[in-house]
Amino acid sequence: MKLWGGNLEKKDIFVQMDELDIRVGAIHTELGALKQKVKELLEDNKRLSEENDQLRQLFKREAELDRKVVSASAPAKRKIAEAGHESPAVSTDALTESGVAIGEGHDNLTRLYHEGFHICNVYYGHLRTEGDCLFCLSFLNK
Ligand SMILES: [Zn+2]
């Protein structure tokens, strides 16, 4: 009776160990997935921090540039307005739209690209992590 009972107990322990083994395996798999997730989040965080730093610097430079453009263009606009005999307001606006604005926009994009950002419509605004981008370059050469 004792031996039989002992065998049954042994069998139970092996079953329990097998079950535990399976559970530990599942936990191990889950832990691995979590580790991978944390790694991805840390990489994302690093990338976003870099992107944020570059954008901060860019905005700072952009704001400084805007101040210079405003102070430099204000007297020029007045001169043009004085020179124009018919509707000076319209001619000033037209110049800003057709001449200055478009060239400036292209310059801004070129600068943005050289700051390390995508300007192509595929990855626009993202940090360029793998050197030159063919989409961006084809856009710049237009
Ligand atoms: Zn690109």
Side-chain angles (χ1 to χ4, degrees), residues 113 117-124 126 128 132-137:
Y113 181 75
F117 291 97
H118 282 281
I119 55 160
C120 59
N121 47 22
V122 186
Y123 302 112
Y124 187 84
H126 288 269
R128 286 193 292 115
D132 282 329
C133 167
L134 290 177
F135 299 115
C136 289
L137 288 177

Side-chain angles (χ1 to χ4, degrees), residues 32-134:
L34 277 173
K35 268 187 182 174
Q36 181 60 33
K37 192 82 196 157
V38 168
K39 208 180 132 205
E40 281 170 20
L41 285 171
L42 285 175
E43 279 168 6
D44 265 4
N45 190 45
K46 187 169 172 276
R47 187 178 54 77
L48 288 170
S49 292
E50 282 172 11
E51 220 170 272
N52 200 25
D53 278 352
Q54 292 209 31
L55 281 172
R56 251 180 237 277
Q57 287 172 22
L58 195 68
F59 278 135
K60 210 175 131 194
R61 248 170 289 166
E62 204 76 359
E64 280 165 12
L65 204 77
D66 276 355
R67 273 199 292 278
K68 279 180 201 161
V69 167
V70 166
S71 60
S73 71
K77 270 187 185 177
R78 225 176 292 136
K79 242 182 214 172
I80 291 160
E82 283 162 14
H85 295 293
E86 297 164 310
S87 56
V90 172
S91 67
T92 317
D93 285 348
L95 181 92
T96 313
E97 266 175 41
S98 61
V100 182
I102 290 167
E104 221 174 72
H106 191 267
D107 282 356
N108 283 345
L109 286 177
T110 308
R111 190 144 33 90
L112 203 61
Y113 181 75
H114 290 295
E115 298 283 344
F117 291 97
H118 282 281
I119 55 160
C120 59
N121 47 22
V122 186
Y123 302 112
Y124 187 84
H126 288 269
L127 200 63
R128 286 193 292 115
T129 49
E130 285 160 16
D132 282 329
C133 167
L134 290 177

